[in-house]
């Protein structure tokens, strides 16, 4: 499957690749990953990267590696997600160590949502946030999402649901976000 590349002001959102094994392993070995299923061993993070790549084939969409346009450094995994057990399609972001607080998740989240709405025709989307992950909740709110209940996932436990506004309610870009 051809995974599209998206470009924003500061980022390139590209297909996950073998070169992402090291940044993935570093992130999933760290305590920062505990909100998204970590920490994991190197073998576990390899399997997580393989799942992200396979998600594109199984669902026709997925998450991109976000890298800076100026240095090419991978800053995180951001995009569209709906694995088995998810209540509905999600816009999600996992920033690698040292890249939080710079607006990368919000910038890439806008591009991912525009792709979901403009290209895939999604009528809405959610973002799931584990209790205590205040940074992720702040990103959801910056994207205009609002609290819409909670779920309990069999592996991740309790999570808050943030509902993204419908496409007709937004004016945050369109097809010009894609390259």
């Amino acid at each position: 499957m051809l995974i599209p590349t998206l470009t924003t002001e500061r980022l390139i959102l590209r297909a996950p690749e073998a070169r992402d094994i090291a940044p993935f392993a570093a992130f999933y070995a760290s305590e920062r990953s505990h909100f998204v299923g970590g920490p994991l061993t190197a073998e576990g993070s390899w399997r997580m990267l393989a799942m992200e790549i396979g998600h594109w084939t199984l669902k026709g969409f997925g998450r991109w590696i976000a890298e800076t346009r100026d240095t090419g450094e991978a800053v995180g995994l951001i995009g569209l997600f709906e694995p088995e057990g998810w209540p509905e399609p999600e816009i999600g972001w996992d920033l690698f160590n040292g890249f939080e607080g710079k607006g990368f998740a919000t910038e890439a989240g806008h591009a991912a949502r525009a792709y979901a709405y403009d290209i895939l025709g999604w009528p809405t989307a959610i973002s799931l946030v584990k209790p205590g992950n205040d940074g992720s909740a702040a990103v959801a709110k910056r994207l205009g999402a609002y609290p819409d209940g909670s779920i309990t996932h069999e592996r991740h436990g309790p999570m808050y649901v943030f509902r993204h506004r419908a496409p007709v309610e937004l004016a945050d870009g369109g097809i010009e976000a894609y390259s």
Side-chain angles (χ1 to χ4, degrees), residues 20 25 31 49 53 59 88 95 97-99 125 154 171:
D20 301 312
E31 188 56 34
L49 179 60
I53 294 167
K59 300 294 285 192
E88 58 187 284
L95 290 178
N97 302 329
F99 294 103
E154 67 180 66

Side-chain angles (χ1 to χ4, degrees), residues 14 17 28 55 63 65 81 87-88 134-135 153 163 169:
R14 61 162 176 81
E17 302 173 355
Y28 276 104
H55 189 285
R63 298 197 292 174
I65 292 293
F81 198 54
E88 58 187 284
D134 298 334
H153 185 267
R163 171 83 43 203
E169 298 177 80

Side-chain angles (χ1 to χ4, degrees), residues 14-29 40-50 53 65 74 96:
R14 61 162 176 81
E17 302 173 355
R19 65 180 156 143
D20 301 312
I21 292 171
F24 242 70
F27 171 71
Y28 276 104
L40 299 173
T41 64
E43 187 265 348
S45 66
W46 188 96
R47 288 179 179 274
M48 185 68 73
L49 179 60
I53 294 167
I65 292 293
F96 296 158

Side-chain angles (χ1 to χ4, degrees), residues 10 32 78 91 93 95 99-111 113 127 129 133-147 162-165 169-172:
R10 299 179 297 157
R32 275 185 50 74
I78 302 166
I91 301 166
W93 43 85
L95 290 178
F99 294 103
E100 62 279 2
K102 301 177 188 315
F104 291 136
T106 303
E107 184 174 328
H110 278 287
R113 185 176 62 201
S127 290
V129 178
N133 192 347
D134 298 334
S136 190
V139 170
K141 291 174 186 174
R142 279 194 294 279
L143 289 169
Y146 55 90
F162 284 83
R163 171 83 43 203
H164 290 268
R165 302 205 181 277
E169 298 177 80
L170 298 173
D172 69 347

